[in-house]
Amino acid sequence: MTNETLLGCRRELHIHLTNELLPFWTARTADYENGGFITHFDQYGHDSGEDEKSLIAQTRSIYTYASAHRAGYGGGALADLARHGVDYLLNRMWDVDYGGFYWMTNRRGDVLNRQKIVYGQSFAIYCLSEYTLATGDPRGVDYAQKVFDLLQKYASDTTYGGYFEMFERDWTLTGPGAAGGDRKTLDAHMHLMEAFTTLYECTRQPIHRRKLLEVIDLLVGKIMHPVYGTGVPQFWADWRVAPQIKFDVIWGWDRFTEDGVKREAEDNTSYGHNAEFAWLLLHAIDVLDIQPEKYRTSLQKAFSHAVDYGVDWEYGGVFVEGSHSGQVYDREKEFWQQAEVLIGFLDAYRLFSEEKYGKAYENVHRFVLDKMVNHGVGEWWPLMTRQGVPIWTHMSHSWKINYHTIRSMIQSIRRLDKLIDQSSSPE
Protein backbone atom coordinates (compact mmCIF):
# COMPACT_ATOMS: atom_id res chain seq x y z
CA MET A 1 0.00 0.00 0.00
CA THR A 2 1.54 3.27 -1.10
CA ASN A 3 1.52 6.39 1.05
CA GLU A 4 -0.95 7.91 -1.42
CA THR A 5 -3.28 4.93 -1.02
CA LEU A 6 -3.07 5.09 2.77
CA LEU A 7 -3.81 8.82 2.82
CA GLY A 8 -6.73 8.38 0.43
CA CYS A 9 -8.29 5.62 2.53
CA ARG A 10 -7.84 7.62 5.71
CA ARG A 11 -9.46 10.67 4.13
CA GLU A 12 -12.50 8.68 3.02
CA LEU A 13 -12.97 7.06 6.43
CA HIS A 14 -12.61 10.34 8.28
CA ILE A 15 -15.18 12.05 6.06
CA HIS A 16 -17.59 9.14 6.47
CA LEU A 17 -17.14 9.06 10.26
CA THR A 18 -17.44 12.80 10.88
CA ASN A 19 -19.93 13.79 8.17
CA GLU A 20 -22.20 10.74 8.05
CA LEU A 21 -21.89 8.14 10.83
CA LEU A 22 -21.54 10.27 13.95
CA PRO A 23 -24.17 12.83 12.79
CA PHE A 24 -26.62 10.01 12.03
CA TRP A 25 -26.50 8.91 15.66
CA THR A 26 -26.10 12.20 17.50
CA ALA A 27 -29.09 13.67 15.68
CA ARG A 28 -31.67 11.06 16.62
CA THR A 29 -30.73 8.50 19.27
CA ALA A 30 -30.94 10.18 22.71
CA ASP A 31 -34.31 9.68 24.42
CA TYR A 32 -34.61 12.82 26.53
CA GLU A 33 -38.11 11.89 27.72
CA ASN A 34 -37.43 8.41 29.15
CA GLY A 35 -33.64 8.24 29.29
CA GLY A 36 -31.24 6.01 27.40
CA PHE A 37 -31.22 5.61 23.66
CA ILE A 38 -33.75 4.99 20.92
CA THR A 39 -32.16 2.33 18.75
CA HIS A 40 -34.63 1.34 16.02
CA PHE A 41 -34.45 3.20 12.71
CA ASP A 42 -35.66 2.27 9.24
CA GLN A 43 -33.78 2.64 5.96
CA TYR A 44 -34.53 6.38 5.89
CA GLY A 45 -33.31 6.93 9.44
CA HIS A 46 -36.83 7.32 10.84
CA ASP A 47 -37.77 5.90 14.23
CA SER A 48 -39.41 2.57 13.40
CA GLY A 49 -41.25 2.47 16.70
CA GLU A 50 -40.25 -0.80 18.38
CA ASP A 51 -40.98 -0.51 22.08
CA GLU A 52 -37.77 -1.92 23.50
CA LYS A 53 -34.40 -0.96 24.86
CA SER A 54 -32.05 -3.91 24.94
CA LEU A 55 -29.00 -4.25 27.15
CA ILE A 56 -26.92 -4.85 24.02
CA ALA A 57 -28.04 -1.69 22.25
CA GLN A 58 -27.75 0.52 25.33
CA THR A 59 -24.28 -0.70 26.34
CA ARG A 60 -22.93 -0.67 22.80
CA SER A 61 -24.17 2.90 22.37
CA ILE A 62 -22.46 3.98 25.59
CA TYR A 63 -19.25 2.34 24.40
CA THR A 64 -19.52 4.07 21.03
CA TYR A 65 -19.90 7.57 22.42
CA ALA A 66 -17.32 7.08 25.16
CA SER A 67 -14.72 5.61 22.81
CA ALA A 68 -15.30 8.28 20.16
CA HIS A 69 -14.91 10.99 22.81
CA ARG A 70 -11.75 9.31 24.07
CA ALA A 71 -10.42 9.24 20.50
CA GLY A 72 -10.88 13.01 20.22
CA TYR A 73 -14.17 13.37 18.36
CA GLY A 74 -17.26 15.40 19.20
CA GLY A 75 -15.86 18.30 21.21
CA GLY A 76 -17.37 17.02 24.47
CA ALA A 77 -20.87 16.30 23.17
CA LEU A 78 -20.18 12.58 22.91
CA ALA A 79 -19.13 12.41 26.56
CA ASP A 80 -22.48 13.97 27.45
CA LEU A 81 -24.28 11.34 25.36
CA ALA A 82 -22.33 8.55 27.04
CA ARG A 83 -23.22 9.95 30.47
CA HIS A 84 -26.88 10.12 29.43
CA GLY A 85 -26.72 6.42 28.56
CA VAL A 86 -24.95 5.45 31.77
CA ASP A 87 -27.61 7.21 33.82
CA TYR A 88 -30.31 5.06 32.21
CA LEU A 89 -28.27 1.86 32.44
CA LEU A 90 -27.62 2.25 36.17
CA ASN A 91 -31.04 3.65 37.12
CA ARG A 92 -33.34 1.43 35.04
CA MET A 93 -31.47 -1.73 34.02
CA TRP A 94 -29.47 -2.62 37.15
CA ASP A 95 -31.05 -5.32 39.34
CA VAL A 96 -30.74 -3.98 42.90
CA ASP A 97 -31.80 -7.32 44.42
CA TYR A 98 -29.61 -9.84 42.58
CA GLY A 99 -27.07 -7.70 40.80
CA GLY A 100 -26.28 -7.55 37.12
CA PHE A 101 -28.19 -5.89 34.31
CA TYR A 102 -31.58 -6.93 32.94
CA TRP A 103 -31.68 -8.07 29.33
CA MET A 104 -34.53 -5.88 28.08
CA THR A 105 -36.73 -2.95 29.04
CA ASN A 106 -39.37 -1.09 27.08
CA ARG A 107 -38.84 2.52 26.08
CA ARG A 108 -40.23 3.81 29.36
CA GLY A 109 -37.79 1.68 31.32
CA ASP A 110 -40.16 -1.07 32.50
CA VAL A 111 -38.35 -4.41 32.57
CA LEU A 112 -39.46 -6.85 29.85
CA ASN A 113 -36.86 -9.60 30.33
CA ARG A 114 -35.08 -10.07 33.65
CA GLN A 115 -32.60 -12.72 32.50
CA LYS A 116 -28.88 -12.32 33.12
CA ILE A 117 -27.08 -13.17 29.90
CA VAL A 118 -23.29 -13.11 29.99
CA TYR A 119 -23.03 -11.72 26.47
CA GLY A 120 -24.89 -8.62 27.66
CA GLN A 121 -23.00 -8.43 30.95
CA SER A 122 -19.72 -8.47 29.01
CA PHE A 123 -20.77 -5.38 27.10
CA ALA A 124 -21.69 -3.70 30.37
CA ILE A 125 -18.13 -4.26 31.62
CA TYR A 126 -16.74 -3.09 28.28
CA CYS A 127 -18.74 0.11 27.97
CA LEU A 128 -18.54 1.13 31.62
CA SER A 129 -14.76 0.66 31.73
CA GLU A 130 -14.41 2.64 28.50
CA TYR A 131 -16.69 5.32 29.93
CA THR A 132 -14.47 5.82 32.98
CA LEU A 133 -11.34 5.86 30.81
CA ALA A 134 -12.97 8.49 28.59
CA THR A 135 -14.57 10.74 31.21
CA GLY A 136 -13.08 9.95 34.61
CA ASP A 137 -16.55 9.29 36.07
CA PRO A 138 -15.91 6.59 38.72
CA ARG A 139 -19.43 5.14 38.44
CA GLY A 140 -18.42 3.30 35.29
CA VAL A 141 -15.56 1.25 36.66
CA ASP A 142 -17.40 0.75 39.95
CA TYR A 143 -20.27 -1.04 38.22
CA ALA A 144 -17.93 -2.77 35.77
CA GLN A 145 -16.14 -4.36 38.70
CA LYS A 146 -19.44 -5.35 40.30
CA VAL A 147 -20.43 -7.23 37.13
CA PHE A 148 -16.99 -8.80 36.86
CA ASP A 149 -17.29 -10.11 40.43
CA LEU A 150 -20.77 -11.49 39.74
CA LEU A 151 -19.47 -13.40 36.72
CA GLN A 152 -16.71 -14.97 38.81
CA LYS A 153 -19.24 -15.97 41.47
CA TYR A 154 -22.08 -17.27 39.32
CA ALA A 155 -21.00 -17.79 35.72
CA SER A 156 -17.49 -19.20 36.00
CA ASP A 157 -17.19 -22.95 35.36
CA THR A 158 -14.70 -24.19 37.93
CA THR A 159 -14.69 -27.70 36.45
CA TYR A 160 -13.89 -27.14 32.79
CA GLY A 161 -13.04 -23.45 32.70
CA GLY A 162 -14.72 -20.60 30.89
CA TYR A 163 -18.15 -19.17 31.52
CA PHE A 164 -21.70 -20.42 31.29
CA GLU A 165 -23.85 -17.83 29.58
CA MET A 166 -27.61 -18.02 30.13
CA PHE A 167 -29.09 -17.34 33.57
CA GLU A 168 -32.38 -16.47 35.16
CA ARG A 169 -32.75 -13.25 37.13
CA ASP A 170 -31.34 -14.82 40.31
CA TRP A 171 -28.31 -16.24 38.45
CA THR A 172 -29.78 -19.75 38.32
CA LEU A 173 -28.51 -21.46 35.19
CA THR A 174 -31.17 -21.88 32.50
CA GLY A 175 -32.18 -25.22 31.06
CA PRO A 176 -30.49 -27.09 28.21
CA GLY A 177 -30.94 -26.85 24.44
CA ALA A 178 -32.47 -23.66 23.10
CA ALA A 179 -32.50 -22.19 26.63
CA GLY A 180 -28.71 -22.19 26.33
CA GLY A 181 -27.76 -23.37 29.80
CA ASP A 182 -25.66 -26.33 28.64
CA ARG A 183 -23.51 -24.53 26.06
CA LYS A 184 -20.58 -22.17 25.79
CA THR A 185 -19.80 -19.99 22.79
CA LEU A 186 -16.96 -18.33 20.97
CA ASP A 187 -19.01 -15.14 20.80
CA ALA A 188 -19.38 -14.64 24.55
CA HIS A 189 -15.77 -15.54 25.37
CA MET A 190 -14.39 -13.29 22.64
CA HIS A 191 -16.40 -10.37 24.01
CA LEU A 192 -15.33 -11.22 27.56
CA MET A 193 -11.76 -10.87 26.27
CA GLU A 194 -12.45 -7.34 24.98
CA ALA A 195 -14.34 -6.48 28.18
CA PHE A 196 -11.63 -7.74 30.52
CA THR A 197 -9.01 -5.98 28.39
CA THR A 198 -10.68 -2.60 28.88
CA LEU A 199 -11.40 -3.31 32.56
CA TYR A 200 -7.73 -4.15 33.15
CA GLU A 201 -6.65 -1.07 31.20
CA CYS A 202 -8.85 0.94 33.56
CA THR A 203 -7.94 -0.66 36.90
CA ARG A 204 -4.56 -2.42 36.42
CA GLN A 205 -5.69 -4.85 39.12
CA PRO A 206 -3.91 -8.25 39.12
CA ILE A 207 -7.19 -10.20 39.30
CA HIS A 208 -8.43 -8.55 36.10
CA ARG A 209 -5.14 -9.33 34.37
CA ARG A 210 -5.27 -12.96 35.50
CA LYS A 211 -8.84 -13.51 34.31
CA LEU A 212 -8.05 -11.85 30.99
CA LEU A 213 -5.13 -14.22 30.48
CA GLU A 214 -7.38 -17.18 31.36
CA VAL A 215 -9.90 -16.18 28.69
CA ILE A 216 -7.12 -15.71 26.13
CA ASP A 217 -5.75 -19.17 26.92
CA LEU A 218 -9.24 -20.67 26.47
CA LEU A 219 -9.77 -18.93 23.16
CA VAL A 220 -6.40 -19.99 21.80
CA GLY A 221 -6.34 -23.48 23.32
CA LYS A 222 -9.99 -24.62 23.28
CA ILE A 223 -12.23 -22.40 21.18
CA MET A 224 -10.20 -21.81 18.03
CA HIS A 225 -9.89 -24.87 15.77
CA PRO A 226 -6.81 -26.94 16.69
CA VAL A 227 -5.68 -27.29 13.06
CA TYR A 228 -7.02 -24.27 11.19
CA GLY A 229 -7.00 -21.71 14.01
CA THR A 230 -10.53 -20.61 13.12
CA GLY A 231 -13.39 -19.93 15.49
CA VAL A 232 -15.71 -22.78 16.47
CA PRO A 233 -19.11 -21.24 17.38
CA GLN A 234 -20.59 -23.50 20.11
CA PHE A 235 -19.43 -26.08 22.66
CA TRP A 236 -20.79 -28.32 25.37
CA ALA A 237 -19.71 -27.50 28.92
CA ASP A 238 -16.66 -29.79 28.66
CA TRP A 239 -15.50 -28.08 25.43
CA ARG A 240 -16.60 -30.79 23.03
CA VAL A 241 -17.85 -29.17 19.83
CA ALA A 242 -21.65 -28.78 19.84
CA PRO A 243 -23.93 -28.29 16.81
CA GLN A 244 -24.64 -24.59 16.43
CA ILE A 245 -28.25 -23.87 17.39
CA LYS A 246 -30.35 -20.74 17.84
CA PHE A 247 -31.04 -19.84 21.46
CA ASP A 248 -34.47 -18.73 22.68
CA VAL A 249 -32.97 -15.36 23.60
CA ILE A 250 -30.70 -14.36 20.75
CA TRP A 251 -28.35 -11.44 20.14
CA GLY A 252 -28.17 -11.54 16.40
CA TRP A 253 -30.02 -12.38 13.22
CA ASP A 254 -28.00 -15.32 11.95
CA ARG A 255 -29.68 -17.43 9.30
CA PHE A 256 -30.74 -20.82 10.67
CA THR A 257 -32.92 -23.56 9.27
CA GLU A 258 -36.54 -23.89 10.38
CA ASP A 259 -35.60 -26.32 13.15
CA GLY A 260 -33.18 -23.80 14.66
CA VAL A 261 -30.01 -25.68 13.71
CA LYS A 262 -27.30 -24.10 11.62
CA ARG A 263 -26.47 -25.60 8.24
CA GLU A 264 -23.19 -27.54 8.54
CA ALA A 265 -23.74 -27.14 12.28
CA GLU A 266 -20.42 -28.64 13.37
CA ASP A 267 -18.21 -27.27 10.59
CA ASN A 268 -18.77 -23.55 10.10
CA THR A 269 -16.70 -20.53 10.94
CA SER A 270 -17.22 -16.80 10.49
CA TYR A 271 -14.59 -14.84 8.57
CA GLY A 272 -15.58 -11.70 10.45
CA HIS A 273 -15.29 -13.37 13.84
CA ASN A 274 -11.87 -14.74 13.00
CA ALA A 275 -10.50 -11.34 12.03
CA GLU A 276 -12.21 -9.73 15.03
CA PHE A 277 -10.76 -12.34 17.40
CA ALA A 278 -7.28 -11.72 16.04
CA TRP A 279 -7.31 -7.93 16.31
CA LEU A 280 -8.93 -8.04 19.74
CA LEU A 281 -6.23 -10.49 20.83
CA LEU A 282 -3.55 -8.14 19.51
CA HIS A 283 -5.10 -5.27 21.44
CA ALA A 284 -5.36 -7.37 24.61
CA ILE A 285 -1.71 -8.42 24.58
CA ASP A 286 -0.71 -4.82 23.88
CA VAL A 287 -2.56 -3.72 27.02
CA LEU A 288 -0.99 -6.65 28.87
CA ASP A 289 2.46 -5.63 27.56
CA ILE A 290 3.04 -9.04 25.95
CA GLN A 291 4.90 -9.31 22.65
CA PRO A 292 2.84 -10.56 19.66
CA GLU A 293 5.41 -13.26 18.92
CA LYS A 294 3.95 -15.45 21.67
CA TYR A 295 0.65 -15.66 19.75
CA ARG A 296 2.02 -15.33 16.24
CA THR A 297 0.75 -18.71 15.03
CA SER A 298 -2.79 -18.11 16.31
CA LEU A 299 -2.89 -14.64 14.81
CA GLN A 300 -1.52 -15.79 11.47
CA LYS A 301 -4.01 -18.64 11.13
CA ALA A 302 -7.04 -16.51 11.95
CA PHE A 303 -6.04 -13.61 9.72
CA SER A 304 -4.89 -15.72 6.78
CA HIS A 305 -8.06 -17.86 6.76
CA ALA A 306 -10.19 -14.70 6.51
CA VAL A 307 -8.08 -13.41 3.61
CA ASP A 308 -7.54 -16.66 1.76
CA TYR A 309 -11.16 -17.86 1.86
CA GLY A 310 -13.37 -14.99 3.00
CA VAL A 311 -12.52 -12.17 0.60
CA ASP A 312 -14.66 -11.85 -2.52
CA TRP A 313 -12.17 -10.78 -5.15
CA GLU A 314 -14.85 -10.56 -7.83
CA TYR A 315 -17.50 -8.36 -6.23
CA GLY A 316 -15.67 -7.01 -3.19
CA GLY A 317 -16.19 -7.41 0.54
CA VAL A 318 -15.97 -10.45 2.75
CA PHE A 319 -18.32 -13.45 2.80
CA VAL A 320 -20.29 -14.47 5.90
CA GLU A 321 -18.99 -17.95 6.68
CA GLY A 322 -17.66 -21.28 5.46
CA SER A 323 -15.96 -24.47 6.54
CA HIS A 324 -12.77 -24.52 8.57
CA SER A 325 -10.95 -26.14 5.65
CA GLY A 326 -11.96 -23.39 3.23
CA GLN A 327 -15.26 -24.05 1.43
CA VAL A 328 -17.52 -20.97 1.41
CA TYR A 329 -21.11 -21.62 2.58
CA ASP A 330 -22.67 -18.15 2.70
CA ARG A 331 -21.66 -15.55 0.10
CA GLU A 332 -23.82 -12.72 1.36
CA LYS A 333 -22.25 -9.61 2.86
CA GLU A 334 -23.02 -8.70 6.46
CA PHE A 335 -22.27 -5.23 7.84
CA TRP A 336 -20.46 -6.17 11.03
CA GLN A 337 -18.13 -8.60 9.31
CA GLN A 338 -16.97 -5.91 6.87
CA ALA A 339 -16.41 -3.57 9.82
CA GLU A 340 -14.25 -6.04 11.73
CA VAL A 341 -12.10 -7.20 8.83
CA LEU A 342 -11.19 -3.60 8.00
CA ILE A 343 -9.49 -3.34 11.39
CA GLY A 344 -8.13 -6.87 11.25
CA PHE A 345 -6.58 -6.64 7.79
CA LEU A 346 -4.79 -3.42 8.71
CA ASP A 347 -3.41 -5.07 11.84
CA ALA A 348 -2.31 -8.10 9.82
CA TYR A 349 -0.66 -5.87 7.23
CA ARG A 350 1.23 -4.02 9.97
CA LEU A 351 2.21 -7.22 11.77
CA PHE A 352 3.18 -9.49 8.88
CA SER A 353 4.01 -7.00 6.11
CA GLU A 354 2.33 -9.25 3.53
CA GLU A 355 0.81 -7.50 0.56
CA LYS A 356 -2.21 -9.83 0.48
CA TYR A 357 -3.52 -8.11 3.60
CA GLY A 358 -3.09 -4.66 2.09
CA LYS A 359 -4.93 -5.73 -1.05
CA ALA A 360 -7.67 -7.36 1.04
CA TYR A 361 -8.09 -4.18 3.07
CA GLU A 362 -8.41 -2.08 -0.09
CA ASN A 363 -10.95 -4.54 -1.47
CA VAL A 364 -13.24 -4.39 1.58
CA HIS A 365 -12.71 -0.65 2.03
CA ARG A 366 -13.94 -0.06 -1.51
CA PHE A 367 -16.96 -2.37 -1.06
CA VAL A 368 -17.97 -0.64 2.15
CA LEU A 369 -17.66 2.92 0.87
CA ASP A 370 -19.21 2.18 -2.53
CA LYS A 371 -21.91 -0.35 -1.64
CA MET A 372 -22.52 -0.90 2.07
CA VAL A 373 -22.83 2.69 3.25
CA ASN A 374 -26.29 4.15 2.75
CA HIS A 375 -24.83 7.55 1.92
CA GLY A 376 -28.16 9.32 1.73
CA VAL A 377 -28.76 8.49 5.40
CA GLY A 378 -25.31 7.89 6.88
CA GLU A 379 -25.33 4.34 8.29
CA TRP A 380 -24.60 0.94 6.70
CA TRP A 381 -27.00 -1.54 5.14
CA PRO A 382 -27.18 -4.57 7.49
CA LEU A 383 -27.12 -7.39 4.92
CA MET A 384 -26.47 -7.42 1.18
CA THR A 385 -26.33 -9.89 -1.65
CA ARG A 386 -22.93 -10.95 -2.87
CA GLN A 387 -23.15 -8.26 -5.54
CA GLY A 388 -24.00 -5.52 -3.04
CA VAL A 389 -27.79 -5.17 -3.26
CA PRO A 390 -29.52 -4.62 0.14
CA ILE A 391 -31.46 -7.61 1.51
CA TRP A 392 -32.32 -6.15 4.92
CA THR A 393 -32.87 -2.42 4.88
CA HIS A 394 -33.16 -1.17 8.49
CA MET A 395 -30.42 1.14 9.70
CA SER A 396 -30.65 0.02 13.32
CA HIS A 397 -32.41 -2.24 15.79
CA SER A 398 -31.46 -4.00 19.03
CA TRP A 399 -28.77 -6.06 17.30
CA LYS A 400 -27.52 -3.65 14.64
CA ILE A 401 -26.34 -0.54 16.39
CA ASN A 402 -23.46 1.95 16.09
CA TYR A 403 -20.81 -0.17 17.80
CA HIS A 404 -19.32 -2.05 14.84
CA THR A 405 -19.45 0.74 12.28
CA ILE A 406 -18.12 3.65 14.33
CA ARG A 407 -15.55 1.49 16.11
CA SER A 408 -14.35 0.26 12.73
CA MET A 409 -13.81 3.80 11.47
CA ILE A 410 -12.02 4.98 14.62
CA GLN A 411 -9.79 1.92 14.86
CA SER A 412 -9.05 1.81 11.13
CA ILE A 413 -8.08 5.48 11.08
CA ARG A 414 -5.77 4.85 14.04
CA ARG A 415 -4.03 2.02 12.18
CA LEU A 416 -3.84 3.95 8.93
CA ASP A 417 -2.16 6.80 10.83
CA LYS A 418 0.49 4.38 12.10
CA LEU A 419 1.08 3.03 8.59
CA ILE A 420 1.27 6.56 7.20
CA ASP A 421 3.84 7.49 9.83
CA GLN A 422 5.88 4.41 8.96
CA SER A 423 5.76 5.06 5.22
CA SER A 424 6.72 8.70 5.72
CA SER A 425 9.67 7.97 8.01
CA PRO A 426 13.16 7.78 6.47
CA GLU A 427 14.73 4.34 6.28
Side-chain angles (χ1 to χ4, degrees), residues 4 29 74-75 93 97 113 161 207 240 298 311-312 320 342 365:
E4 183 180 4
T29 188
M93 301 193 83
D97 294 322
N113 184 324
I207 183 61
R240 288 175 298 124
S298 296
V311 175
D312 185 347
V320 170
L342 286 176
H365 174 104

Side-chain angles (χ1 to χ4, degrees), residues 235-305:
F235 297 84
W236 302 112
D238 62 0
W239 297 110
R240 288 175 298 124
V241 176
Q244 189 181 7
I245 63 170
K246 183 169 68 174
F247 297 143
D248 290 333
V249 178
I250 60 171
W251 45 79
W253 280 26
D254 287 335
R255 274 82 67 214
F256 289 82
T257 59
E258 290 184 4
D259 61 1
V261 179
K262 194 86 168 197
R263 179 192 163 200
E264 307 293 349
E266 296 188 43
D267 181 24
N268 66 86
T269 191
S270 160
Y271 306 111
H273 264 158
N274 294 334
E276 185 180 13
F277 155 75
W279 85 254
L280 287 172
L281 174 59
L282 263 176
H283 176 60
I285 61 178
D286 180 60
V287 170
L288 290 164
D289 198 25
I290 295 172
Q291 292 301 309
E293 195 60 35
K294 179 176 180 181
Y295 297 98
R296 185 179 183 87
T297 299
S298 296
L299 293 164
Q300 200 159 30
K301 285 182 176 181
F303 279 136
S304 64
H305 189 276

Side-chain angles (χ1 to χ4, degrees), residues 26 52 57 118 138 142 280 315 319 348 368 380 418:
T26 57
E52 62 180 42
V118 167
D142 179 37
L280 287 172
Y315 293 102
F319 300 127
V368 167
W380 299 18
K418 291 180 180 179

Side-chain angles (χ1 to χ4, degrees), residues 113-369:
N113 184 324
R114 299 177 184 274
Q115 280 187 263
K116 306 296 166 57
I117 298 175
V118 167
Y119 187 91
Q121 307 301 321
S122 74
F123 275 97
I125 296 172
Y126 190 38
C127 82
L128 290 167
S129 301
E130 183 71 24
Y131 172 70
T132 293
L133 285 166
T135 67
D137 186 340
R139 292 182 302 161
V141 71
D142 179 37
Y143 275 84
Q145 290 182 94
K146 288 179 180 179
V147 176
F148 173 89
D149 292 344
L150 286 164
L151 295 186
Q152 307 316 313
K153 181 177 182 179
Y154 293 114
S156 178
D157 181 355
T158 56
T159 301
Y160 296 108
Y163 296 83
F164 293 109
E165 300 180 19
M166 310 292 270
F167 296 87
E168 304 296 348
R169 180 191 179 188
D170 63 357
W171 293 97
T172 303
L173 198 62
T174 60
D182 60 347
R183 292 176 185 247
K184 297 170 182 173
T185 67
L186 159 68
D187 218 359
H189 286 81
M190 186 176 70
H191 290 299
L192 284 170
M193 176 173 67
E194 73 181 348
F196 292 176
T197 297
T198 309
L199 178 61
Y200 176 63
E201 184 182 3
C202 192
T203 69
R204 296 294 172 177
Q205 289 189 16
I207 183 61
H208 299 150
R209 179 185 181 91
R210 180 159 59 87
K211 291 299 179 180
L212 172 56
L213 285 167
E214 284 181 10
V215 171
I216 290 172
D217 287 346
L218 274 173
L219 284 161
V220 171
K222 297 283 190 184
I223 296 175
M224 306 307 283
H225 194 284
V227 175
Y228 300 105
T230 45
V232 178
Q234 290 184 16
F235 297 84
W236 302 112
D238 62 0
W239 297 110
R240 288 175 298 124
V241 176
Q244 189 181 7
I245 63 170
K246 183 169 68 174
F247 297 143
D248 290 333
V249 178
I250 60 171
W251 45 79
W253 280 26
D254 287 335
R255 274 82 67 214
F256 289 82
T257 59
E258 290 184 4
D259 61 1
V261 179
K262 194 86 168 197
R263 179 192 163 200
E264 307 293 349
E266 296 188 43
D267 181 24
N268 66 86
T269 191
S270 160
Y271 306 111
H273 264 158
N274 294 334
E276 185 180 13
F277 155 75
W279 85 254
L280 287 172
L281 174 59
L282 263 176
H283 176 60
I285 61 178
D286 180 60
V287 170
L288 290 164
D289 198 25
I290 295 172
Q291 292 301 309
E293 195 60 35
K294 179 176 180 181
Y295 297 98
R296 185 179 183 87
T297 299
S298 296
L299 293 164
Q300 200 159 30
K301 285 182 176 181
F303 279 136
S304 64
H305 189 276
V307 165
D308 295 342
Y309 303 111
V311 175
D312 185 347
W313 297 105
E314 183 176 358
Y315 293 102
V318 68
F319 300 127
V320 170
E321 67 185 18
S323 74
H324 297 286
S325 61
Q327 180 186 356
V328 180
Y329 296 151
D330 188 337
R331 296 179 184 272
E332 292 172 344
K333 310 292 169 61
E334 206 165 11
F335 84 101
W336 69 265
Q337 305 215 28
Q338 317 305 313
E340 297 306 322
V341 301
L342 286 176
I343 308 169
F345 289 165
L346 287 174
D347 263 347
Y349 184 66
R350 291 176 54 238
L351 184 62
F352 300 118
S353 301
E354 293 182 34
E355 193 56 39
K356 69 176 182 179
Y357 294 113
K359 291 179 179 177
Y361 171 81
E362 291 182 63
N363 172 299
V364 180
H365 174 104
R366 199 70 274 133
F367 181 84
V368 167
L369 271 296

Side-chain angles (χ1 to χ4, degrees), residues 13 40 44 61 139 172 257:
L13 297 191
H40 292 71
Y44 306 106
S61 295
R139 292 182 302 161
T172 303
T257 59

